[in-house]
Amino acid sequence: MGTHLPIEENASDVYTREVFKEFQLEVICSTDTCKSVGYAEVDGVEVTVVKDSIRKKSFNVEYNPGTQATQCSCMMFERMGFLCRHIVWILSANGMKTIPVDYVSTRWKKDALHFRLSECDGVQMETNSSADAKEVAMVKLWSEVHSTIGLLRGASETEVVNLSSLIREFKEKLLPYKKDLTKQQEFEQILGCPLMTR
């Protein structure tokens, strides 16, 4: 470990080696280059201005202690899929020992491939035994959709339009189940993580 922060050790258990190395650099920089230069509280959300001495710039970090929702104006999580040094600094200052589950992108986890390769073009492959049946079914569905769309590369425009119409019809049949969701909740469901508001 490059620091004494428990969040770094947690990351080493969760992330792949390559992503951990990148995240580890953010953790190290959070202790060496970040400091608070301003603070305000707006509607229960703590807004801290964090100065980054390497980038020679300050960033606004929003943190909700109740929900652990956080967002940084550098937008690194949105671009890269792992937390920036500014958020790590805030989480550590708030006593967080692990990365909040909403900020661990599945694609960077050690077991991401294990889940994704449960089926490929109808061939059953090894799956993670801890995966629940719904997760395995969702992975298989994504595989089916992906392979079906791949078949359209040599198809005519009419065939592409027909499949698109079929998918739209099916989506409309599912809408009654989603009628209680707000637009934001629908996006969160699609993305698999909460949307951060500024």
Side-chain angles (χ1 to χ4, degrees):
M1 296 299 114
T3 70
H4 63 283
L5 299 177
I7 205 164
E8 181 185 6
E9 192 168 341
N10 170 239
S12 72
D13 293 334
V14 172
Y15 289 134
T16 63
R17 184 171 177 79
E18 287 302 309
V19 175
F20 171 68
K21 284 180 190 175
E22 291 188 50
F23 182 73
Q24 184 179 44
L25 179 62
E26 294 301 311
V27 176
I28 292 167
C29 287
S30 77
T31 61
D32 295 344
T33 69
C34 295
K35 70 175 184 178
S36 173
V37 293
Y39 175 85
E41 191 170 325
V42 183
D43 299 326
V45 176
E46 299 173 357
V47 182
T48 307
V49 181
V50 177
K51 185 174 183 180
D52 186 332
S53 63
I54 288 180
R55 296 184 184 168
K56 296 180 173 50
K57 195 173 173 185
S58 294
F59 298 92
N60 292 333
V61 180
E62 297 177 9
Y63 174 69
N64 185 323
T67 63
Q68 296 180 343
T70 186
Q71 185 173 25
C72 180
S73 59
C74 80
M75 304 294 281
M76 183 172 174
F77 177 75
E78 290 77 4
R79 288 181 289 111
M80 304 294 288
F82 55 87
L83 296 176
C84 64
R85 62 193 70 178
H86 318 115
I87 291 177
V88 170
W89 192 85
I90 293 296
L91 294 179
S92 297
N94 281 280
M96 297 285 295
K97 298 187 185 320
T98 59
I99 304 165
V101 68
D102 290 338
Y103 299 99
V104 179
S105 298
T106 305
R107 69 178 186 251
W108 300 141
K109 289 172 71 175
K110 287 180 179 177
D111 62 0
L113 268 181
H114 217 51
F115 282 109
R116 296 294 175 247
L117 293 178
S118 64
E119 186 174 309
C120 185
D121 289 333
V123 179
Q124 188 67 35
M125 301 175 89
E126 186 181 358
T127 58
N128 189 329
S129 59
S130 67
D132 65 5
K134 183 179 177 184
E135 175 68 19
V136 171
M138 291 293 286
V139 170
K140 287 180 181 178
L141 179 60
W142 273 115
S143 176
E144 287 291 334
V145 169
H146 188 266
S147 62
T148 302
I149 291 173
L151 293 172
L152 292 175
R153 292 205 187 279
S156 68
E157 183 181 345
T158 305
E159 290 171 313
V160 173
V161 170
N162 287 344
L163 179 61
S164 182
S165 296
L166 242 154
I167 291 171
R168 208 174 341 339
E169 284 176 34
F170 184 73
K171 186 177 168 185
E172 287 169 8
K173 287 179 184 176
L174 289 177
L175 286 177
Y177 301 106
K178 298 192 175 256
K179 64 184 176 188
D180 296 332
L181 296 181
T182 65
K183 199 65 151 173
Q184 179 172 332
Q185 288 170 325
E186 285 183 32
F187 279 119
E188 289 173 345
Q189 216 172 46
I190 291 167
L191 296 172
C193 67
L195 290 174
M196 300 300 127
T197 54
R198 289 186 167 189

